[in-house]
């Protein structure tokens, strides 16, 4: 497929043109996790071969697709509101077709088609290659649905169309699905069983990004540390693999080592790490390579062993803290972030205090914190009453957020006086006289535009000041990562 990247005058945002001669217009929108944003790039690529180029203008779209999230009730409500807006436009433009993709499509299946005819097409996360057939059905006036989950699909053979890209950073999916069955989580039901993508196709995708000038890749999966390639098939079937397959299998530490070595002038990140699957080999590979960013997103959900067990998290409070201690020992400059759930069923005040004390111990740079939201069909919904009153959940959540904000400021302040390596991504949102990018630890850095620096350059920035989330400084020259 022909894909052309055109840089606009400021070298700021990139207009991605999918295919010459395409006349139909696709408006595609994503909610939820990074994986959804990455999947939408695969969908855009499949549809570019069906005559569709993307548009940013909803009113002119022939086809509107919304890639949806089911993780919390609020996420689903947001999508429902958006569907109402699409339908208002559809009344004026009846030719416009609307499709629901992703986790809500998988969870609600044909309910979408039955309910007041709000959509024409329902497509689950493993069925995007069926989009051309489904579109034909829609064109012939039938409702179209495919929510079959796959054991093999990784979309490894599809070259994603980079949407809304800054031309510098990109996501590359390495695993799909999740086998962990945390009792609160809908993902194993909406995204199916865990499978890993062929490392060769991962390398090819990164090569293509490198050739287009991209400088940073985030390897994506619900649980990247569980990555295991042995020639195809589900992670859970690895035991049944042949001796040859087992001997040549590639795990996450090996994959990370391979990408870092092969592309020394690119920077790598990964997300998400599940504590039970994160092994010291991965930390050691991170320590060995300058171009693997020193940042780990390590969700914990609760600081109480009793609650962790009820969540089926497969590790205790102490095991998690030991892992964190080991990470700080091997990579002292690391930054960590957490996901936390306040008010899981049966959570006591003491459990909540355990969460706060674990946070103090772990000294997270960032956090993503949520009130528990019961999800239909999950084990927690079936077995445990959602018994923590909303006021209590929200009060605990506020305490968690306040502590995180206090820690974030302290953590960010540690960079003052240091010189950090920054990959310039774009102009600062607040000022067109400043560049912005992130340091290795994933903290946003802003500095005045001086010299000839441009997006995609690696520069050293001397930090002079900060807010809780942003470092402020001055560029002092290119870094060793810069290609001349
Ligand atoms: N492994 C995944 C986790 C996806 S869900 C990843 O790649 O990030 C992201 C976060 O949403 C979880 O870590 C959890 O903190 C939160 N979450 C999941 N289910 C939830 C629920 N039912 N209620 C509240 N928060 C939830
Ligand atoms: Fe969900 Fe737990 Fe997997 S949070 S995505 S079931 S690791």
């Amino acid at each position: 497929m022909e894909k052309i990247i055109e840089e606009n005058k400021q070298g700021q945002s990139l207009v991605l043109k999918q295919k010459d001669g395409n006349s139909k217009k696709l408006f595609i929108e994503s909610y939820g996790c990074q994986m959804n944003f990455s999947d939408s790039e695969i969908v855009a690529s499949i549809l570019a071969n069906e005559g569709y180029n993307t548009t940013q203008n909803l009113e002119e779209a022939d086809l509107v697709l919304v890639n949806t999230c089911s993780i919390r009730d609020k996420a689903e409500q947001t999508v429902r509101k958006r569907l109402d807006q699409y339908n208002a436009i559809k009344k004026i433009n009846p030719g416009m077709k609307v499709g629901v993709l992703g986790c809500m499509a998988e969870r609600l299946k044909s309910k979408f088609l039955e309910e007041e005819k709000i959509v024409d097409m329902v497509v689950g996360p493993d069925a995007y290659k069926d989009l051309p057939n489904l579109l034909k059905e829609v064109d012939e006036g039938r409702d179209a649905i495919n929510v079959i989950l796959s054991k093999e699909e990784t979309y490894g053979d599809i070259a994603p169309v980079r949407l809304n890209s800054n031309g510098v950073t990109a996501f590359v999916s390495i695993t799909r699905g999740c086998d962990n069955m945390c009792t609160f989580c809908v993902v194993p039901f909406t995204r199916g069983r865990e499978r890993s993508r062929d490392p060769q196709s991962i390398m090819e995708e990164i090569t293509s990004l490198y050739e287009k000038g991209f400088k940073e890749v985030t390897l994506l999966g619900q649980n990247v540390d569980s990555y295991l390639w042995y020639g195809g098939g589900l992670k859970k079937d690895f035991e049944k693999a042949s001796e040859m397959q087992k001997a040549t299998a590639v795990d996450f530490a090996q994959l990370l080592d391979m990408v870092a070595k092969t592309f020394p002038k690119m920077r790598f990140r990964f997300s998400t790490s599940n504590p039970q699957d994160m092994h010291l080999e991965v930390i050691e590979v991170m320590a060995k390579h300058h171009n693997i960013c020193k940042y780990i997103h390590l969700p914990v959900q609760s600081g109480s062993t009793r609650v962790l067990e009820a969540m089926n998290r497969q590790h205790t409070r102490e095991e998690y803290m030991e892992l964190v201690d080991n990470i700080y020992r091997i990579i002292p400059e690391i930054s960590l972030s957490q996901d936390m759930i306040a008010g899981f069923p049966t959570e006591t005040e003491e459990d909540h205090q355990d969460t706060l004390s674990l946070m103090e111990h772990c000294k997270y740079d960032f956090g993503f914190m949520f009130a528990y939201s019961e999800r239909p069909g999950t084990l927690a919904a079936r077995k445990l009453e959602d018994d923590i009153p909303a006021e209590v959940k929200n009060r605990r959540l506020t305490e968690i957020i306040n502590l995180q904000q206090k820690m974030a400021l302290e953590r960010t302040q540690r960079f003052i006086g240091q010189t950090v390596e920054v990959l310039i991504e774009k102009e600062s949102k607040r000022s067109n006289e400043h560049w912005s990018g992130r340091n290795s630890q994933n903290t946003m850095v802003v500095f005045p535009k001086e010299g000839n620096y441009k997006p995609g350059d690696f520069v050293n920035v001397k930090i002079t000041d900060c807010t809780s989330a942003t470092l402020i400084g001055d560029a002092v020259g290119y870094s060793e990562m810069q290609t001349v």
Side-chain angles (χ1 to χ4, degrees), residues 150-154 174-177 179 193-199 226-241 245 250:
S150 159
K151 288 184 181 164
E152 294 95 27
E153 189 59 83
T154 59
I174 64 163
T175 71
R176 294 185 75 80
D179 283 351
R193 303 314 297 261
E194 186 183 310
R195 63 222 101 112
S196 297
R197 177 176 169 188
D198 184 344
S226 178
Y227 176 90
L228 186 63
W229 172 258
Y230 61 96
L234 294 175
K235 165 82 187 250
K236 73 178 179 62
D237 293 331
F238 180 61
E239 281 311 309
K240 291 183 225 154
Q245 281 175 319
V250 178

Side-chain angles (χ1 to χ4, degrees), residues 34-84:
Q34 292 163 334
M35 187 68 98
N36 262 4
F37 286 78
S38 168
D39 281 0
S40 292
E41 298 186 333
I42 288 166
V43 168
S45 170
I46 293 169
L47 291 181
N49 282 339
E50 298 299 309
Y52 289 89
N53 277 0
T54 56
T55 171
Q56 309 270 9
N57 182 356
L58 182 55
E59 273 81 15
E60 67 167 20
D62 299 295
L63 174 63
V64 174
L65 295 177
V66 56
N67 204 341
T68 60
C69 173
S70 285
I71 202 77
R72 284 167 292 276
D73 186 54
K74 233 194 209 159
E76 292 205 353
Q77 296 312 327
T78 308
V79 169
R80 289 205 171 262
K81 281 199 203 111
R82 202 60 186 133
L83 284 172
D84 289 342

